[in-house]
Amino acid sequence: MKIGFIGAGRVGTTIAKYLKEHGKSVTGFYSRNKEHAMESASFTDTLCFTDTKTLVEESDVVFLTVSDGAIESVFRELLSTCDLTEKIICHTSGSMASTVFAGASQKVYGYSVHPNFAVSDKLTTYQTFHNAFITIEGSPEHLNDVKEIFTSSGLSVATISPDVKAKYHAASVYASNLVCGVFGASIRLLTECGFSEEDAEKALHGLFLANAEGIAANGPVAQLTGPVERNDISTVRRHLNVLSEDDAKTYRRLQLEVVRLAQKKHLDRDYTELVNLLEGDRT
């Protein structure tokens, strides 16, 4: 199948480059910003299209790799300007379902295809994209065909229900964007201890990297360390006594999640007193 992309940002370019390097037929890109389309087309050794109609005609599968807010309007525009009959149309939003393509007057097969991966750079992320996990949901007619695009390129794929897309995406945010927020909070607390931001990042680098690698290799339960895992109530209380009210709220909520892991790791250990501390007022 020939695959075209409307939208030439980080996600579209990364997917196109990866698929092209794994033997898939990528037709090229269209973008309202022609320079972006030209850059992506050149990078992937594909075509830069000057209109969507030609791209759709030349492609069996069309990915709408545009912002979430633009997906529906771009699709409706395609319906009014192109013949989408028997075309496979995909978007890459993590939180939106394929139902955004429902109700089309033409016979269109719509899919949500989300790479559960941090695509941080347009020109280099394809090199590590083999670690991406792809989730797909949409029309049953060509679901296996869309899955095959990615499984045959060496990627792990799972199908999910459109009803859980928003919660699925929220779960992914926990493991990506929120981790950045927690890391940033850690840097801020260290600067309050007298560290420069540069030294704070250095101090946390090895700790963070070893923890992330351990979680990836063995899972969060096996990797768990620290005062909650040890059921060290006095240390947790000392932490709460020196944190601001806002930081303590965040600490309490996250540590309650850590307790869930600790209870799985130590089935014979009683964490009731610790849970009461984390759920109660500061004492």
Side-chain angles (χ1 to χ4, degrees):
M1 289 190 291
K2 296 181 292 183
I3 306 167
F5 290 81
I6 295 176
R10 291 176 295 181
V11 173
T13 304
T14 296
I15 294 175
K17 180 71 171 179
Y18 183 86
L19 293 180
K20 183 77 183 298
E21 293 209 333
H22 286 78
K24 301 300 180 288
S25 177
V26 178
T27 54
F29 292 85
Y30 168 82
S31 173
R32 289 174 179 170
N33 186 319
K34 187 175 180 179
E35 290 184 359
H36 288 174
M38 291 176 64
E39 179 184 39
S40 295
S42 175
F43 180 63
T44 57
D45 192 25
T46 60
L47 299 176
C48 173
F49 291 90
T50 57
D51 62 89
T52 56
K53 187 174 184 295
T54 306
L55 181 145
V56 168
E57 289 174 349
E58 294 295 321
S59 306
D60 304 303
V61 182
V62 178
F63 275 85
L64 308 186
T65 49
V66 298
S67 65
D68 286 15
I71 291 172
E72 184 170 7
S73 61
V74 170
F75 177 60
R76 298 301 164 188
E77 184 178 329
L78 291 179
L79 285 173
S80 65
T81 58
C82 307
D83 182 6
L84 299 182
T85 304
E86 298 295 329
K87 298 292 184 179
I88 294 173
I89 308 296
C90 307
H91 70 66
T92 55
S93 168
S95 61
M96 293 177 64
S98 62
T99 50
V100 70
F101 299 133
S105 56
Q106 303 174 36
K107 190 173 183 181
V108 181
Y109 304 104
Y111 301 88
S112 166
V113 179
H114 181 246
N116 204 13
F117 196 69
V119 183
S120 58
D121 183 81
K122 181 175 179 176
L123 303 180
T124 62
T125 302
Y126 77 94
Q127 296 170 342
T128 55
F129 198 68
H130 59 275
N131 292 316
F133 190 97
I134 309 296
T135 57
I136 301 174
E137 55 88 4
S139 303
E141 291 87 347
H142 291 285
L143 187 61
N144 287 335
D145 294 327
V146 177
K147 288 172 61 178
E148 175 66 15
I149 292 172
F150 296 96
T151 56
S152 64
S153 299
L155 296 174
S156 298
V157 176
T159 56
I160 63 174
S161 166
D163 297 337
V164 302
K165 276 301 297 285
K167 181 175 284 190
Y168 150 79
H169 192 240
S172 300
V173 166
Y174 265 80
S176 56
N177 309 142
L178 292 186
V179 171
C180 294
V182 171
F183 193 85
S186 183
I187 291 172
R188 174 175 54 77
L189 289 171
L190 284 183
T191 62
E192 293 174 6
C193 297
F195 286 70
S196 68
E197 284 199 10
E198 181 180 0
D199 282 345
E201 290 189 20
K202 287 180 180 178
L204 296 169
H205 180 270
L207 173 67
F208 177 82
L209 191 60
N211 202 46
E213 290 176 343
I215 290 171
N218 305 308
V221 173
Q223 182 61 23
L224 189 62
T225 62
V228 167
E229 188 258 344
R230 297 192 302 270
N231 206 14
D232 185 349
I233 296 169
S234 60
T235 295
V236 172
R237 183 177 283 111
R238 281 195 292 272
H239 291 171
L240 290 170
N241 285 335
V242 298
L243 292 172
S244 70
E245 183 177 354
D246 285 344
D247 285 332
K249 286 180 180 178
T250 301
Y251 180 93
R252 289 174 188 272
R253 185 66 191 89
L254 292 175
Q255 289 287 40
L256 284 169
E257 292 294 337
V258 175
V259 171
R260 294 174 187 264
L261 300 176
Q263 289 171 327
K264 293 180 180 180
K265 188 172 184 178
H266 302 288
L267 299 177
D268 59 342
R269 192 169 292 177
D270 185 0
Y271 289 93
T272 303
E273 187 178 352
L274 180 57
V275 169
N276 290 338
L277 173 64
L278 292 170
E279 289 182 339
D281 295 328
R282 185 187 304 183
T283 58

